[in-house]
Amino acid sequence: MPAAAAALTMAGRAHVDERPVYLDNAATTAVDPRVAAAMAECLTEEGVYGNPSSSTHRYGREAAQCVEAARHEVAALIGAAPDCIVFTSGATEASNLALLGTARANADRRRHLVSARTEHRATLDPLRQLEREGFTTSWVETDGAGRVTPAALRAALRPDTLLVSLMHVNNETGAVQDIAAFGALCREAGVLFHCDLAQAVGKLPTTGAAAWVDFGSFTAHKIHGPKGIGALYVSPAARPWLRPVTFGGGQERGLRSGTLPTHQIAGFGRACALAAAEGAADAERMAALRAALWEALRQLPGVLLNGPAEGGSPAILNLSFEGVEGESLVTALTDVAVSTGSACSSASGEPSYVLRALGRDTGLAQSSLRFSLGRYTSRRDIERAADAVCRAVTRLRSVAP
Ligand SMILES: *Cc1c(COP(=O)(O)O)cnc(C)c1O
């Protein structure tokens, strides 16, 4: 141990060597060692390093087999046929492909889109781009917990509506939407349905998803896989409506050109297989820990729950602490890694647009923290975090003007 650290330990600050409790799993998760092992097999000279598109030799064919095995695992997690999966760099690219690709392919027929203001920026920003290209978006209202009612969705549909984009689980509040009802409604109306599944896979049962949506986006790094790999599910019925937005070697049935990253795909496949096998047990454990954290923190005065009281994601707890700046709180919480909102809006320092859309005033939106759990969150993590948050909130309130 370096002398300085030893001196601090001697001074009674044993925790200096302990890493902060990680409760930011909705931003990204640690890679599961079993995923890392699957990836490592594709990263050495002895391993599977061929180009999966090179069918003329054994190296390429081995890599293609590895990719196709992973495609089966990825597809199975959402109940899809393997040939409906298009590998992308993540959920952002998947949503961009679904939204830009269908809109641009059908601009001469239909120019109306439907979504909600509580969506992730990976949906909102492509929709804004499409508005610049002459499309119109109707924004469906959500209830106070962030849910869109099927009635509100039905009212937003028009004869010229091309596509609805609504997420399954909100990344800031954990609100869960009834995507089966949305899917049925869209099908009845002859409208395409894109769903951001990024926070749903691995936390909720999702093997029904492919039956309800036309397009589904998800990403490996939210389920203990690597960053930089994800997928778009494209239903057979929706395929004719979609055109690529990038062009090149014609991989992924022409929808996403570029050399397939075998190691990333192998890791994604393993992460999906683990989520399918262990997701229900993970979710049960997370739900109990989330409840314990909420139980401990609600003992503080002036704590408000953002999102649904029941039926939300087991992995997300979003709270507002009256009279405390969220930014000051995250800074004070040196022993807990949390965020004030999504990783993207935290960077801008703006109050969360998701919480504003739910009707929280700027003050309360600015005093919020998102705690998010993962496979490795332990009871001790929750106890440490609850203790640290209670102390920080009490101290910040005592020094507030
Ligand atoms: C993380 C996330 C995304 C973006 O995923 P990337 O892998 O970063 O592209 C999109 N939507 C939701 C709901 C997310 O949580």
Side-chain angles (χ1 to χ4, degrees):
M1 190 186 302
L8 282 167
T9 309
M10 306 256 292
R13 294 192 48 203
H15 69 275
V16 289
D17 283 341
E18 201 165 14
R19 295 170 89 197
V21 176
Y22 187 71
L23 288 176
D24 206 9
N25 289 276
T28 198
T29 52
V31 173
D32 189 296
R34 295 165 290 180
V35 168
M39 295 177 72
E41 285 172 25
C42 306
L43 287 170
T44 57
E45 214 247 314
E46 297 77 48
V48 185
Y49 63 81
N51 187 324
S53 300
S54 303
S55 53
T56 53
H57 51 69
R58 177 176 157 179
Y59 297 93
R61 288 193 294 270
E62 270 175 12
Q65 268 171 18
C66 180
V67 165
E68 293 318 307
R71 196 186 300 279
H72 273 80
E73 294 172 320
V74 171
L77 186 60
I78 60 159
D83 64 352
C84 295
I85 295 295
V86 177
F87 286 118
T88 65
S89 62
T92 303
E93 191 194 332
S95 295
N96 271 263
L97 173 56
L99 299 171
L100 302 177
T102 40
R104 289 174 184 165
N106 300 284
D108 54 341
R109 283 180 273 188
R110 298 182 184 193
R111 287 177 164 264
H112 181 242
L113 309 159
V114 175
S115 190
R117 300 217 181 265
T118 47
E119 292 290 309
H120 192 275
R121 283 191 54 193
T123 295
L124 297 180
D125 287 8
L127 290 175
R128 279 190 199 118
Q129 174 57 31
L130 288 170
E131 288 181 339
R132 287 190 284 272
E133 295 177 20
F135 290 80
T136 312
T137 309
S138 292
W139 302 100
V140 209
E141 290 297 318
T142 54
D143 67 15
R147 287 169 303 222
V148 170
T149 62
L153 174 57
R154 181 177 288 120
L157 298 179
R158 305 195 319 210
D160 63 336
T161 306
L162 174 66
L163 178 136
V164 168
S165 186
L166 291 171
M167 69 205 316
H168 195 356
V169 176
N170 186 273
N171 53 296
E172 289 195 33
T173 62
V176 176
Q177 311 261 23
D178 187 354
I179 66 163
F182 298 167
L185 238 162
C186 289
R187 193 156 303 170
E188 191 188 298
V191 171
L192 295 165
F193 176 34
H194 167 252
C195 186
D196 179 341
L197 298 166
Q199 296 286 346
V201 286
K203 279 100 190 177
L204 306 181
T206 50
T207 48
W212 304 321
V213 309
D214 292 297
F215 303 107
S217 306
F218 53 117
T219 187
H221 73 102
K222 305 287 173 70
I223 53 168
H224 304 283
K227 294 163 190 65
I229 185 73
L232 179 67
Y233 162 73
V234 181
S235 77
R239 177 65 188 86
W241 296 75
L242 178 64
R243 263 193 237 147
V245 293
T246 53
F247 303 89
Q251 288 89 345
E252 299 300 88
R253 292 176 297 138
L255 285 171
R256 206 279 195 168
S257 284
T259 304
L260 290 167
T262 317
H263 62 296
Q264 297 285 81
I265 291 171
F268 188 19
R270 184 63 55 90
C272 288
L274 291 170
E278 301 175 7
D282 286 344
E284 202 180 307
R285 205 171 45 246
M286 287 190 277
L289 294 175
R290 177 188 178 279
L293 183 59
W294 173 219
E295 204 40 52
L297 295 181
R298 72 191 298 182
Q299 306 304 323
L300 283 168
V303 181
L304 287 100
L305 177 69
N306 299 312
E310 304 233 318
S313 166
I316 295 176
L317 180 67
N318 191 314
L319 304 175
S320 286
F321 299 88
E322 268 169 13
V324 181
E325 273 269 337
E327 288 302 331
S328 320
L329 193 48
V330 274
T331 311
L333 285 172
T334 48
D335 288 342
V336 190
V338 280
S339 67
T340 52
S342 74
C344 326
S345 49
S346 297
S348 70
E350 292 290 309
S352 156
Y353 66 81
V354 173
L355 297 187
R356 297 284 291 117
L358 300 191
R360 289 287 190 225
D361 64 34
T362 316
L364 276 177
Q366 252 161 354
S367 64
S368 68
L369 286 191
R370 177 189 67 185
F371 303 91
S372 50
L373 293 71
R375 181 173 290 155
Y376 303 121
T377 308
S378 67
R379 182 141 309 254
R380 171 163 155 71
D381 288 341
I382 294 299
E383 286 162 5
R384 271 179 75 195
D387 191 50
V389 172
C390 286
R391 276 187 286 116
V393 168
T394 307
R395 188 171 61 77
L396 286 171
R397 280 183 179 155
S398 74
V399 299

